[in-house]
Each structure stands twice: as C-alpha cells, then as structure tokens.
Amino acid sequence: MSWFGKMLGTSLKLDNLENLLTQQLEDLYSAEEQLIEALPKMADAASSQELKSAFQTHLEETRHQKERLDRVFRMLGHQPMAETCEAMEGLIEEGQSIIDAEGDADVKDAALIAASQRVEHYEMAGYGCVRTFARRLGRQDAADLLQETLDEEANADKLLTHIAEGIVNPVAAQAS
Ligand SMILES: [Fe+2]
C-alpha cells in the first residue's frame, strides 16, 4: 500500500517528522525503481531522436537518483522497507497506453512528453518535500543530496518543454 493510502487507512504512523521523511523517501525510492523499468520503453516509443536521447539521459540520471536515495538512507541510518508508489504505477500505466497507441509520430511524441512531464512534476513535488523535511530536521547533508535530484528533475522537465516546442509540426498540430 502507498504511504498515502496508509495515511487514509490510518495504518500509517505519522508520529514525527523523521518517520514522515523516511516514508516519503521510500515512496520516492519505489518511484525511481519503476521509472528505471519504464524509461527504456519510453525511449523506444519516441520517434524524435532528441526525445529518445532525453529519455536515455534521464534513465542514467534516474539510476543515480536511486543511488542517491541509498546514500540518504545510509546517512539517516534507515533500512528502506519495500514500498510501492501507487501514484507512479498509475502514471506509468498512462504512459504505457501512449506507448501502445497508433497514430501520427509527432502527436505520439507530444503525448509521451505530456505523460513524462506528469512524472517529473510528481517527483519534483516529492523531492521538494523531503528536501524541506530533511532541512527542518537539521540534516543539511541529506537535504543537499535531495536538492541535487530535485534540480535534475526540474532540468529534465524544462528539456521536455523545449522538445515539445520544437517537435510537433504545424500539420500534425491541426486537426484533420
Ligand atoms: Fe527521478
């Protein structure tokens, strides 16, 4: 069950900020693991070379982000529990329906960008929170690492916007 589901179902213990931080980090850990599986499929499905390489570059970054989370867990002296980020499962499922879709290559690329920007924004929200919680707990070392990932996600998001602006040709942009 996701941390959010547990919170709604009251089986999640939120007695202190440190618990909340580790639970949210576990959620992000699951999100990154799922993305490591999903990004190669997104890259295969993309037609634009620029988009393909953006997904491939972000796959490498995502592997580092997972390692960075391992470092944060070690810093906090916490052994991560197996957690499933259900929100990311849903976002990836939406991405999969785009991968499976037929149609115009540019429009499909635009749809892949729309799906992956949702993912980036989800992660940016998550990393922004854990960065702030770590800072509030006096763990600037962990906060700095989390900020690095947050910056990478924000850059990935900006790059996707840039690609979207150039990708869809005016013919594809018009309804036929
Ligand atoms: Fe990430």
Side-chain angles (χ1 to χ4, degrees), residues 52-97:
K52 260 185 204 298
S53 66
F55 285 140
Q56 282 155 358
T57 303
H58 198 54
L59 173 62
E60 278 317 299
E61 282 176 341
T62 302
R63 291 198 176 109
H64 286 128
Q65 290 169 357
K66 188 187 155 195
E67 286 166 18
R68 220 175 261 139
L69 284 174
D70 280 320
R71 283 166 65 194
V72 170
F73 281 125
R74 280 199 298 274
M75 277 176 178
L76 301 174
H78 181 80
Q79 197 69 18
M81 305 234 297
E83 186 67 60
T84 302
C85 176
E86 289 173 5
M88 188 57 72
E89 271 184 345
L91 289 169
I92 287 173
E93 216 174 280
E94 286 191 8
Q96 186 61 50
S97 65

Side-chain angles (χ1 to χ4, degrees), residues 103-148:
D104 178 89
D106 280 352
V107 176
K108 190 166 166 173
D109 277 358
L112 288 170
I113 290 172
S116 47
Q117 285 195 292
R118 278 172 173 75
V119 167
E120 292 314 315
H121 280 250
Y122 178 82
E123 292 191 287
M124 283 156 67
Y127 278 105
C129 288
V130 288
R131 181 272 329 267
T132 303
F133 299 156
R135 210 186 266 158
R136 292 292 296 142
L137 289 162
R139 295 307 305 249
Q140 193 58 45
D141 51 351
D144 288 345
L145 280 182
L146 297 166
Q147 181 69 50
E148 274 179 45

